[in-house]
Amino acid sequence: MTAELILQTLLSGLLMGLIYALVAAGLSLIFGLMDVVNFAHGELLMVAMFATLVLHNLLGLDPLLLLPIVAVLLFGVGMAIYRLLIARALSVTFNTGMVQIFVTFGLAIFIRGAAQFFFGGEFRSINNSWLANKTVALAGIYIPLPQLAASVVCLLAFALLLAISKTEFGRALEATREDREAVGLIGIDRDRIFAIGWGMGAAAVGVAGVMLANFYYISPQVGANFALIAYVTVALGGFGSLGGALIAGIVIGEVEALSALVLEPSLKQVGMFAIYLAVLMFRPRGLFGRL
Amino acid sequence: MLQLESLSASYRGLKALQGISLTVNAGEIVTVVGANGAGKSTLLKSIAGQVAIEGAIRFDGEDISGLASHKIARLGINLVPEGRRLFPRLTVNDNLRLGAYAKRGDPDRFKPLDLVFDLFPRLGERLKQRAGTLSGGEQQMLAIGRALMTQPRLLMLDEPSQGIMPRLVDDIFAAVVRIRALGVTILLVEQRLSEALSIADRAYVLQTGRVVMSGTAAEIAADESVRKAYLGV
Amino acid sequence: YPLTGNGAQVGLDAKAAYEVEADIINGTHPKIPMLMGEGGGLKNLGGAHIKLVFADSQGDPQKARAEAERLITQEHVVAIVGSYTSATAATISQVTDRYEIPYMSADNSSPSLNQRGLKWFFRTSPHDEMFSAAMFGFFKDIGAKTGKPVKSVALFYEDSIFGTDSSNVQRKLAGAAGLTVAADIKYRANSPSLSSEAQRLKAADADVILPSSYTSDALSIVRSMNEIAYKPKAIVAQAAGFQESGFLTGAGPLAEGILSRSSFAGDAIKARPAIVPVQELFKAKQNKSLNDNTSREITALQILADAINRSGTGKPADIRTALIATDVKGIDTIMPWVGVKFDETGQNIEGTPVIQQVKDGTYVTVWPFDVATTDAVWMK
Amino acid sequence: MSHLLEVDKVSKTFGGVAANSDISFNVHQGEILGLIGPNGAGKTSLFNSISGEVEPDSGEIRLDGVRISGRGPVVCARLGIARTFQVVRSFDSMTVLENVMVGAFARTNSPGKAMKKAESVLDFAGLSGRVDTPAHLLSPPEKRRLEVARALATEPRILLLDEMLTGLTPTEAQAGVQLIRDVRASGVTIIMVEHVMEVLLPLIDRAVVLHLGKVLTEGLPTEVVRHPDVIRAYLGDRYAAA
Amino acid sequence: MAGSILGHNSIQRRRRLELIVGLIVLAGLCLLPLVVKDVYTQNLIILTILYAGLAQAWNILGGYCGQVSLGHALYFGIGAYVSTMLYVKLGIPPTLGMFAGGLVGGLFALLVGWPCFRLSGHYYAIATVVVGEIGYLLFLNWDFIGGASGINIPFKHESLVELQFRVTKVPWLYLVIAYAGLAWIIAWIIEGSRWGYSWRAVKDDVTAARSLAVRVFPSKMAAAAISGCLTGIGGAIFAQFVGYIDPDSIMSGNLSILIALPAVLGGVGTLWGPLVGSALLIPLKELSSSYLGSSGSGLDLMIYGALIVLIALARPQGLISLLGLFRKPEGAR
Ligand SMILES: Nc1ncnc2c1ncn2[C@@H]1O[C@H](COP(=O)(O)OP(=O)(O)OP(=O)(O)O)[C@@H](O)[C@H]1O
Ligand SMILES: Nc1ncnc2c1ncn2[C@@H]1O[C@H](COP(=O)(O)OP(=O)(O)OP(=O)(O)O)[C@@H](O)[C@H]1O
Ligand SMILES: [Mg+2]
Ligand SMILES: [Mg+2]
């Protein structure tokens, strides 16, 4: 095993980890900051990827240029999901937790069915984007451009989300999670706050979807490949902690890459899950969890 | 300023309020008296838009019944709820500042902070502490402070002295009087009847969801049946 | 067939393939130069039409089993054709044996299926052992021809029944042929990233990479190899994902030069004249060319229909007798095979695979040299 | 006189805040002890230590000479400590009777016996009319009664009441006082925390005053309320005159 | 009057009534084979009842005890593999093997519970998903038990002890009725016992439960053991019924959710919820995929998904609340 190989592995682990973090960013917001388990997270990612594909084919624009459009689109989707479903799920007085889980689970199945209905089961890819299949070499280490771009976008997205969470809106969001009834008493419209929160979460997923579409295949099932990792990332980082999700994403990416190198690759996810469980044994609230 | 006309409210078919009519004039302290479960909290929550109701609620002559609670709050009606309902994981500072959230864009929106720290100096000392770790009395101060931050015109207090040590009880009643002096109208629910009646202008007596008596605070305090029923004398 | 789920597209294509073949058998049209190509239904059964009933296995063995039972007891089918994944074939073949209904496996390639002592199981297409044997035969021939023999191979296969079965045979054959196995990589299907796996392949740098993957991972691995600028000397795929149109369009230029075994040679139109008209019909329906799977499906139904026709009664037992007696020549099918003839396990022993290579975005046949339409580009 | 419960130099800090420091006092068999002190003095924290909910950092709590501190709430409850909570905790998916049965199962495995016990305790607590009501539909004073009934069902030797009379009108408080007296008469020792002096003082036999996590003073209720430090820290001006 | 027959107070009355209705339902189910003759419907009924049992098993941990486990496929798979391996390798008939499977399933539930019960809320739920996934991956790569290829249970001969039936479904029907009945009666017994009360107390308020001498961790472990054991038995039955097992079909995360879903939609923490939930959900799922799925359009998934959303929103307390008879007292949570 050469040093080069190890370096290359560490690098791809890092790049992949940042992508996991990017996918988890939106989840961290919805899951961590609003305390709603969103089982349709992977499906939102899939929707974003299809949106990128369709717009790319329709407008001929490069995915990178589509970034704002898809983000806005997903923002709308997120708001709509909140207004149509989640607001209702939150207002039930009766085993709210489970209702949330299974409403989003049902939604996930529905979205998957819809994607199948409209796009069929074919695997699609975007090949003619600026970044597609491009790689730069640096001292014998290869850096794939689409992943690099995704990592940069990931860091930007986290910086942005972190900044937002520090604003007054961020505190209002936290307050709303703490006590959904009481915020009304001080003139905060909880549905608006949460709808925007969902919109932001979904927009973050939208960004992740665009970046993924640059180098990953697209199919109605694609969300499932990332969803579980996203949940684990958020839980490992700790609910309510954006920074935790970022670091957890990197940890998971590295663990995955390294275990694929030293273990049987088909068991690499076992390595990554085992690390997660081990951490939870010592820190039941994840690395940086507050909740 | 506030007028209720045959207001009814129910929880899952259980009537908690039935045909309440009640008026609060600008600048008054009005207190509502009643046994446990009489519907006092429900009454305040109805006005704040947190309970589904029938009947009319008029604020400054405008019907506000059915309005969402945050809209009512923005009109200047504010409730310090039973059990305080703070945001326990946020700091004292954040709790207070969020009180002014609805007024974003108004440069003066944090002005009431001075008043709050003046009324409750303790809060000024604990700005960085998480609200959840405050002691009971401090939490009550914070709840009132947060309500003041919204610059209310009508402040409703639900049992502000509950769980408060005797020394602070008097402070809180004193604060209520001071707040009124600043031009805020007050609707007060209290179990410490004698104290409440001593600072109130007028009072209503609630029994199983109905108003059974109303009058000036002095009249009510003097009423034989009230003394028997609620003061245990 | 899995009509939903990750394998959904395969199922949808298969459905179209069967419909095309049923139309050929039932419909009226100019004669297509192959068995059952005249149209007009089943002659011996008074021109009866083949009626297809589709069921969705969702790739789930339990589901496949229940659906098979439904087809038999509710829809009263006389035979079942299917079913892509080996796991579903395993339960369906049990059901058909219990109910004594012929089961025509069109595209399962697991060698274990016909070795279970099933009486009602028939498979027209070659299985993995035959396929892999063809690959190694190709290595020998091409080595002799170009003077660049294969010395080492890298196994790269998904952690499914298909992947492990395929790799087991390849490992065995590599040993028998005296080749080094430079890498033996079992990977997790549908992983978000295969970059570490690609690096292991690069580190091993075998003469030939032998992947057994479905479409999703086929796409991932060629991209991951490209990302670390690894250009393998040769890739010879166990068909599956590598033969799908989604892979060819998705991988684009990256697919160029990849070799794959196939049971179908779409470009061998001289040797198999029926391909052109069938191809046209399929294209009209599904807007894509026939591939390894769809051609096998068409052939499976064709053989089955012929057997039903020859049975004269349409009763399952008679169909089985007719199937056992099947002896069809390759020229009467669209396949490049020698023919169709079942052994006592129900396996077609005359299904001889070919090796194809991607050139300009489509597969062209390069081996056996007698059916090849062009020369292979070998280890540049 | 034998001490039923001994609190011996108990300290507990929460991330820098000394909720209890070096607290010592004794509780006699059969008395009603009032635990008073300003908000944040550490009363609830001490209850948590006595009931085993938290483990003191140092010091020991003994019941009949047996150490109970640090042995967890389950052991404490088994040994005879029962409590109510400052913020009412009820099992909301269960009816009143079922709530109390949970407590009764502390002493028996038989559902039949547990049910009988629960019914008699509910009768005692004046909730016999509400047995089939889901717990979350009770009014606040009823919920507090439910907590008392549930605690009594565990057949405790000591009952810790944390602000159980709060939020009641004086008349209702009288009824609560009567219930507490009845409990004591049935042989259970009581420690109670309460801020409403008018109700508390006539009820208790002795008072321990906490301030800033320490014992400020202890003694007869009449003595304690005259203690200048208690007036300054806790009672405020209006008791100064009295 | 009814009171004196059924018991002197409301709880006893309700429990006796439930038992009587349970027996009636059981009798009704036993008569089913006389009415339903076609194999497809029988298949459907068998699955539905099997899932009712599984959902009840889940309900014991997830419903009564409030530990929302999304990794039950692990115990299901372990039960299936244990009994199948015993049968295929050692020839031990599955009628015995399924109890071994249940035992091992229960053991694993304890093993998983040991670390996971220290986690709360979503942390617990995700940890169970992950544990389930680890189990799945390990089984997928474990060659001794067939790895990804799975195990085929060959049909040898008709045998009741070995649960081998060529085409008839009737014995299966009775077997799953016995299984679901067992799960139901266990739930019924526990509901009225100390454990049942402990679990519900733990679910509602851990702190208060502890203060009443409820031993929280052992309670959860007991619930896990019973739940895991019943799930394992269900897995063993399923394996024998299908005749083929592989990790994909019996250990995937989807299955974990499918085990939990009927209980949640039917009414979580109730005696009848799992039964009602399965009775609606499983036929719906199977029928829609049989009749709509073959078009491959995803329409069936859309309907199935939308239905889950609708039920969860419209009937948060579960479908069971539509049936007034077993309703918990007004407004119960
Ligand atoms: N969330 C609720 N759900 C159902 N019933 C409720 C709810 N809140 C209050 N009630 C019922 O409504 C009636 C009135 O309650 P309310 O809280 O308004 O009384 P209150 O006068 O404020 O009493 P207290 O002095 O105890 O605060 C009571 O019978 C109570 O049980
Ligand atoms: N878990 C905790 N973390 C941090 N601080 C705590 C914690 N629990 C209690 N405290 C602090 O310990 C001190 C004592 O709290 P405690 O609840 O015992 O007071 P109390 O005497 O019961 O007051 P009150 O009369 O208001 O109920 C308070 O300052 C409180 O903020
Ligand atoms: Mg109230
Ligand atoms: Mg306290």
Side-chain angles (χ1 to χ4, degrees):
Chain A
M1 225 178 276
T2 62
E4 214 166 87
L5 180 65
I6 292 173
L7 269 179
Q8 181 75 55
T9 305
L10 286 176
L11 177 83
S12 22
L14 177 70
L15 292 178
M16 211 55 214
L18 285 168
I19 288 161
Y20 292 154
L22 180 61
V23 176
L27 187 68
S28 173
L29 202 74
I30 292 170
F31 205 168
L33 289 184
M34 279 178 279
D35 204 23
V36 173
V37 192
N38 177 19
F39 267 97
H41 187 72
E43 280 57 40
L44 285 180
L45 184 72
M46 180 263 287
V47 167
M49 290 173 82
F50 269 111
T52 313
L53 178 77
V54 169
L55 290 172
H56 172 74
N57 291 345
L58 221 62
L59 308 175
L61 290 179
D62 188 83
L64 282 184
L65 297 177
L66 291 171
L67 228 141
I69 305 180
V70 175
V72 168
L73 198 77
L74 265 284
F75 187 90
V77 171
M79 297 248 303
I81 291 177
Y82 176 79
R83 295 257 180 207
L84 291 177
L85 299 178
I86 310 299
R88 270 163 230 210
L90 290 179
S91 70
V92 307
T93 50
F94 203 94
N95 69 91
T96 322
M98 287 194 204
V99 170
Q100 278 167 26
I101 291 183
F102 288 96
V103 164
T104 54
F105 174 72
L107 177 70
I109 295 184
F110 180 83
I111 296 180
R112 224 178 294 157
Q116 169 100 33
F117 185 77
F118 289 114
F119 299 104
E122 190 77 86
F123 290 91
R124 295 145 196 270
S125 327
I126 298 178
N127 264 327
N128 49 345
S129 67
W130 294 341
L131 298 174
N133 300 333
K134 295 211 170 56
T135 292
V136 295
L138 211 78
I141 307 291
Y142 296 94
I143 308 173
L145 282 185
Q147 277 94 324
L148 186 66
S151 304
V152 173
V153 169
C154 164
L155 292 175
L156 289 178
F158 266 96
L160 188 69
L161 287 180
L162 216 58
I164 291 176
S165 73
K166 292 268 184 282
T167 63
E168 212 162 340
F169 170 80
R171 278 197 297 272
L173 192 63
E174 252 185 281
T176 311
R177 179 202 54 214
E178 301 252 295
D179 195 329
R180 291 200 298 272
E181 311 276 300
V183 285
L185 297 176
I186 52 174
I188 293 177
D189 181 353
R190 68 148 195 251
D191 281 335
R192 203 180 124 86
I193 296 274
F194 266 7
I196 294 176
W198 266 81
M200 281 168 41
V205 183
V207 170
V210 174
M211 298 317 290
L212 269 182
N214 260 323
F215 62 96
Y216 207 70
Y217 56 84
I218 303 167
S219 85
Q221 308 292 317
V222 71
N225 299 358
F226 290 89
L228 181 59
I229 293 180
Y231 298 124
V232 171
T233 304
V234 174
L236 177 61
F239 297 126
S241 167
L242 278 171
L246 180 61
I247 290 171
I250 297 174
V251 169
I252 285 180
E254 291 292 3
V255 170
E256 180 188 21
L258 288 174
S259 39
L261 201 61
V262 295
L263 292 177
E264 175 128 65
S266 59
L267 286 173
K268 66 182 177 182
Q269 286 177 346
V270 173
M272 145 180 143
F273 293 149
I275 292 274
Y276 159 76
L277 286 181
V279 168
L280 278 200
M281 288 311 100
F282 296 102
R283 298 186 67 93
R285 279 151 206 284
L287 291 171
F288 303 95
R290 292 183 291 147
L291 307 176
Chain B
M1 176 147 91
L2 181 77
Q3 218 173 352
L4 310 186
E5 276 161 32
S6 53
L7 183 79
S8 299
S10 49
Y11 298 100
R12 278 184 248 225
L14 260 95
K15 284 253 181 218
L17 295 180
Q18 296 182 46
I20 301 262
S21 296
L22 175 154
T23 324
V24 181
N25 299 315
E28 274 189 322
I29 297 181
V30 173
T31 184
V32 177
V33 176
N36 267 289
K40 306 179 295 295
S41 302
T42 307
L43 175 67
L44 299 195
K45 284 198 273 183
S46 305
I47 299 170
Q50 296 207 311
V51 181
I53 50 158
E54 292 161 46
I57 305 177
R58 259 187 274 284
F59 185 61
D60 284 343
E62 255 177 78
D63 191 4
I64 58 164
S65 51
L67 234 51
S69 71
H70 66 273
K71 292 199 176 129
I72 293 176
R74 285 174 189 214
L75 289 174
I77 301 185
N78 236 282
L79 171 66
V80 177
E82 202 171 18
R84 292 151 203 159
R85 310 295 286 264
L86 296 170
F87 309 123
R89 268 188 281 263
L90 298 184
T91 62
V92 170
N93 196 21
D94 287 342
N95 266 279
L96 286 175
R97 280 165 186 268
L98 276 172
Y101 185 80
K103 295 222 162 28
R104 273 166 312 160
D106 176 357
D108 287 340
R109 66 201 169 111
F110 293 130
K111 235 174 68 190
L113 271 181
D114 300 336
L115 168 68
V116 171
F117 295 147
D118 190 36
L119 282 173
F120 308 116
R122 174 61 69 83
L123 292 183
E125 298 158 16
R126 299 288 181 93
L127 283 180
K128 292 265 170 292
Q129 191 170 343
R130 285 195 182 192
T133 63
L134 291 174
S135 87
E138 291 157 355
Q139 290 193 11
Q140 189 66 51
M141 297 177 213
L142 182 56
I144 298 174
R146 188 182 69 184
L148 287 176
M149 289 302 293
T150 65
Q151 309 189 7
R153 293 172 51 218
L154 172 66
L155 182 63
M156 304 190 287
L157 299 158
D158 198 349
E159 305 196 21
S161 78
Q162 195 175 109
I164 300 294
M165 61 173 162
R167 185 165 64 85
L168 265 182
V169 169
D170 294 332
D171 290 357
I172 284 181
F173 280 106
V176 170
V177 175
R178 276 188 63 194
I179 292 166
R180 190 259 297 267
L182 293 166
V184 180
T185 309
I186 286 169
L187 183 56
L188 174 69
V189 165
E190 242 317 317
Q191 297 292 23
R192 288 181 181 265
L193 281 191
S194 36
E195 287 94 334
L197 288 171
S198 71
I199 63 166
D201 301 310
R202 290 190 305 114
Y204 289 83
V205 180
L206 229 57
Q207 202 176 318
T208 55
R210 295 173 205 275
V211 174
V212 294
M213 199 186 293
S214 65
T216 65
E219 280 166 19
I220 300 287
D223 187 277
E224 198 53 39
S225 60
V226 169
R227 294 173 65 82
K228 225 194 193 126
Y230 304 112
L231 292 172
V233 289
Chain C
Y1 280 93
L3 291 168
T4 48
N6 237 343
Q9 192 56 43
V10 178
L12 293 178
D13 288 347
K15 186 164 178 259
Y18 288 124
E19 281 165 357
V20 165
E21 173 61 15
D23 287 348
I24 293 174
I25 296 163
N26 297 335
T28 46
H29 47 75
K31 179 171 165 42
I32 294 172
M34 65 179 202
L35 189 65
M36 306 302 295
E38 314 72 12
L42 305 173
K43 298 272 151 38
N44 294 355
L45 289 161
H49 281 194
I50 290 275
K51 183 170 159 252
L52 299 176
V53 184
F54 295 98
D56 182 5
S57 70
Q58 295 181 357
D60 173 358
Q62 186 281 121
K63 196 84 209 181
R65 173 202 155 93
E67 287 298 305
E69 285 177 345
R70 178 175 73 90
L71 291 177
I72 294 169
T73 60
Q74 217 112 320
E75 308 282 354
H76 304 290
V77 298
V78 293
I80 290 180
V81 199
S83 63
Y84 200 56
T85 65
S86 312
T88 52
T91 54
I92 296 173
S93 61
Q94 280 195 18
V95 170
T96 50
D97 244 47
R98 293 181 188 195
Y99 282 91
E100 307 191 326
I101 294 279
Y103 172 41
M104 176 65 79
S105 158
D107 40 20
N108 310 103
S109 60
S110 168
S112 59
L113 281 173
N114 60 316
Q115 286 151 12
R116 288 195 179 135
L118 299 168
K119 291 205 178 67
W120 297 80
F121 176 85
F122 295 92
R123 172 156 59 189
T124 42
S125 98
H127 55 62
D128 282 337
E129 272 172 28
M130 304 164 77
F131 279 129
S132 298
M135 288 184 195
F136 285 82
F138 166 69
F139 296 158
K140 210 167 125 206
D141 289 357
I142 194 97
K145 187 173 173 190
T146 61
K148 286 187 250 177
V150 177
K151 293 198 200 71
S152 62
V153 294
L155 305 183
F156 180 79
Y157 51 100
E158 69 164 40
D159 56 349
S160 70
I161 180 167
F162 157 64
T164 46
D165 273 4
S166 155
S167 72
N168 286 342
V169 176
Q170 290 174 341
R171 202 172 294 115
K172 205 170 77 195
L173 290 175
L179 309 183
T180 345
V181 177
D184 189 331
I185 299 175
K186 174 155 78 166
Y187 68 88
R188 177 86 196 92
N190 298 318
S191 282
S193 154
L194 289 176
S195 42
S196 292
E197 290 81 346
Q199 273 153 34
R200 284 174 76 152
L201 285 177
K202 185 180 186 183
D205 196 25
D207 291 337
V208 182
I209 296 178
L210 300 174
S212 313
S213 310
Y214 289 116
T215 316
S216 47
D217 298 315
L219 280 168
S220 278
I221 190 63
V222 296
R223 287 187 164 183
S224 294
M225 290 193 295
N226 174 62
E227 276 157 15
I228 52 168
Y230 174 43
K231 298 219 168 24
K233 291 178 204 139
I235 297 178
V236 181
Q238 187 75 275
F242 285 90
Q243 284 270 358
E244 292 296 322
S245 64
F247 171 74
L248 290 178
T249 53
L254 300 181
E256 212 52 28
I258 290 178
L259 293 138
S260 167
R261 59 85 170 162
S262 177
S263 37
F264 180 56
D267 50 344
I269 44 178
K270 281 211 204 78
R272 298 287 182 265
I275 290 177
V276 179
V278 176
Q279 182 78 273
E280 262 165 29
L281 287 170
F282 187 73
K283 242 189 179 132
K285 185 153 208 124
Q286 199 69 351
N287 196 25
K288 57 170 109 171
S289 306
L290 286 168
N291 67 6
D292 185 32
N293 287 325
T294 42
S295 62
R296 280 194 275 171
E297 285 142 9
I298 285 181
T299 308
L301 184 58
Q302 175 193 22
I303 299 297
L304 180 63
D306 169 56
I308 297 173
N309 189 34
R310 280 186 290 114
S311 76
T313 60
K315 290 213 185 75
D318 298 332
I319 298 174
R320 175 167 176 260
T321 318
L323 276 170
I324 293 172
T326 299
D327 187 3
V328 175
K329 292 279 155 281
I331 187 77
D332 286 329
T333 68
I334 54 172
M335 307 309 272
W337 302 338
V338 173
V340 180
K341 195 174 195 174
F342 298 108
D343 66 6
E344 66 283 0
T345 65
Q347 176 62 41
N348 174 18
I349 41 173
E350 295 186 345
T352 44
V354 297
I355 301 287
Q356 296 187 306
Q357 185 165 38
V358 181
K359 278 195 177 150
D360 301 322
T362 49
Y363 271 106
V364 290
T365 307
V366 296
W367 185 88
F369 298 133
D370 53 341
V371 272
T373 52
T374 178
D375 283 341
V377 178
W378 183 245
M379 295 199 206
K380 284 167 286 185
Chain D
M1 186 180 212
S2 74
H3 303 313
L4 179 59
L5 186 83
E6 297 161 89
V7 177
D8 188 4
K9 301 207 183 80
V10 167
S11 300
K12 178 78 199 172
T13 54
F14 292 105
V17 180
N20 297 144
S21 47
D22 227 12
I23 291 188
S24 300
F25 61 86
N26 297 323
V27 183
H28 313 308
Q29 169 69 44
E31 74 173 341
I32 301 180
L33 178 75
L35 190 60
I36 58 177
N39 293 120
K43 306 179 293 293
T44 302
S45 304
L46 189 62
F47 269 17
N48 286 340
S49 287
I50 298 176
S51 65
E53 190 65 42
V54 305
E55 183 175 356
D57 299 333
S58 65
E60 210 174 82
I61 299 166
R62 287 182 294 272
L63 181 71
D64 256 348
V66 179
R67 180 179 65 85
I68 57 167
S69 50
R71 294 175 65 184
V74 174
V75 173
C76 291
R78 283 271 156 78
L79 290 175
I81 308 254
R83 71 173 300 184
T84 68
F85 293 88
Q86 184 166 2
V87 179
V88 183
R89 294 175 179 274
S90 50
F91 304 125
D92 284 347
S93 73
M94 304 192 208
T95 64
V96 167
L97 180 60
E98 289 170 335
N99 261 267
V100 180
M101 280 178 70
V102 174
F105 274 118
R107 297 284 169 217
T108 173
N109 277 325
S110 143
K113 278 191 195 143
M115 196 175 296
K116 284 220 174 61
K117 174 87 199 167
E119 279 169 344
S120 75
V121 170
L122 281 170
D123 213 25
F124 180 82
L127 283 173
S128 46
R130 304 286 264 167
V131 279
D132 291 329
T133 312
H136 71 105
L137 290 182
L138 294 182
S139 71
E142 284 174 328
K143 276 194 182 171
R144 296 199 179 274
R145 274 172 188 266
L146 172 62
E147 279 208 318
V148 174
R150 211 172 51 188
L152 287 176
T154 66
E155 298 175 11
R157 305 182 62 192
I158 299 191
L159 180 60
L160 313 176
L161 300 173
D162 199 348
E163 303 203 16
M164 110 137 225
L165 300 173
T166 302
L168 307 186
T169 59
T171 309
E172 288 159 346
Q174 293 308 328
V177 165
Q178 194 50 48
L179 174 62
I180 293 170
R181 290 216 163 96
D182 291 346
V183 171
R184 195 253 296 265
S186 74
V188 179
T189 306
I190 291 170
I191 311 181
M192 60 187 296
V193 168
E194 203 63 59
H195 286 301
V196 189
M197 291 301 117
E198 298 87 331
V199 176
L200 185 76
L201 294 178
L203 179 60
I204 56 178
D205 302 316
R206 235 157 38 89
V208 170
V209 185
L210 298 188
H211 180 43
L212 298 175
K214 296 193 178 64
V215 177
L216 185 66
T217 180
E218 70 173 281
L220 295 177
T222 42
E223 294 166 10
V224 161
V225 294
R226 283 200 202 92
H227 194 295
D229 289 345
V230 176
I231 291 175
R232 188 163 357 98
Y234 182 57
L235 296 173
D237 303 334
R238 72 163 124 174
Y239 289 89
Chain E
M1 303 305 109
S4 56
I5 303 166
L6 291 164
H8 89 282
N9 73 19
S10 61
I11 294 183
Q12 288 173 350
R13 257 201 309 279
R14 198 191 68 221
R15 285 180 54 73
R16 301 244 167 111
L17 189 64
E18 277 170 351
L19 192 60
I20 292 169
V21 175
L23 289 174
I24 295 172
V25 171
L26 190 69
L29 288 177
C30 288
L31 294 179
L32 266 180
L34 302 180
V35 189
V36 182
K37 296 281 186 206
D38 84 282
V39 173
Y40 180 74
T41 316
Q42 286 180 347
N43 229 327
L44 196 62
I45 294 172
I46 290 168
L47 267 191
T48 305
I49 299 176
L50 182 66
Y51 270 103
L54 288 168
Q56 189 67 271
W58 182 88
N59 193 34
I60 286 173
L61 182 61
Y64 288 113
C65 198
Q67 305 299 304
V68 181
S69 159
L70 297 176
H72 259 54
L74 178 66
Y75 317 130
F76 184 85
I78 283 173
Y81 269 104
V82 167
S83 85
T84 305
M85 290 300 286
L86 287 177
Y87 181 50
V88 174
K89 299 248 157 158
L90 302 176
I92 297 173
T95 30
L96 292 177
M98 68 189 195
F99 293 105
L103 212 64
V104 181
L107 269 173
F108 267 83
L110 288 176
L111 221 62
V112 172
W114 186 263
C116 288
F117 283 144
R118 302 193 308 138
L119 306 174
S120 55
H122 300 330
Y123 287 104
Y124 172 79
I126 293 187
T128 57
V129 175
V130 165
V131 169
E133 195 69 14
I134 290 180
Y136 162 72
L137 290 172
L138 291 179
F139 271 66
L140 197 58
N141 285 285
W142 189 9
D143 291 334
F144 175 66
I145 54 150
S149 312
I151 310 174
N152 193 54
I153 304 171
F155 175 70
K156 292 183 201 153
H157 47 245
E158 200 95 8
S159 159
L160 191 63
V161 183
E162 297 179 16
L163 296 180
Q164 293 258 15
F165 313 103
R166 209 168 64 83
V167 289
T168 174
K169 296 280 170 227
V170 176
W172 288 114
L173 202 55
Y174 285 112
L175 183 64
V176 293
I177 289 173
Y179 169 67
L182 177 76
W184 188 89
I185 201 74
I186 286 179
W188 183 85
I189 291 171
I190 286 175
E191 203 184 70
S193 77
R194 182 173 169 181
W195 268 355
Y197 281 85
S198 302
W199 292 344
R200 288 159 68 197
V202 166
K203 171 171 107 176
D204 282 356
D205 192 323
V206 176
T207 310
R210 244 192 236 117
S211 82
L212 299 170
V214 172
R215 285 150 66 226
V216 174
F217 185 73
S219 292
K220 288 181 182 175
M221 290 293 264
I226 295 174
S227 181
C229 181
L230 281 174
T231 310
I233 296 178
I237 295 175
F238 182 83
Q240 202 61 29
F241 175 60
V242 175
Y244 170 82
I245 53 173
D246 70 340
D248 264 328
S249 58
I250 61 164
M251 296 193 75
S252 73
N254 272 341
L255 183 70
S256 291
I257 291 181
L258 200 59
I259 291 174
L261 204 54
V264 172
L265 295 185
V268 73
T270 64
L271 210 45
W272 299 97
L275 197 65
V276 175
S278 323
L280 183 88
L281 201 72
I282 303 300
L284 188 104
K285 181 176 176 308
E286 298 293 314
L287 289 173
S288 71
S289 69
S290 290
Y291 290 101
L292 293 171
S294 48
S295 68
S297 65
L299 213 59
D300 59 321
L301 287 182
M302 284 166 78
I303 292 174
Y304 177 54
L307 204 93
I308 294 173
V309 172
L310 283 180
I311 297 177
L313 283 182
R315 285 276 135 200
Q317 61 276 62
L319 290 166
I320 187 71
S321 65
L322 292 173
L323 276 63
L325 181 56
F326 313 114
R327 186 168 46 194
K328 292 226 158 174
E330 178 61 37
R333 277 211 257 190

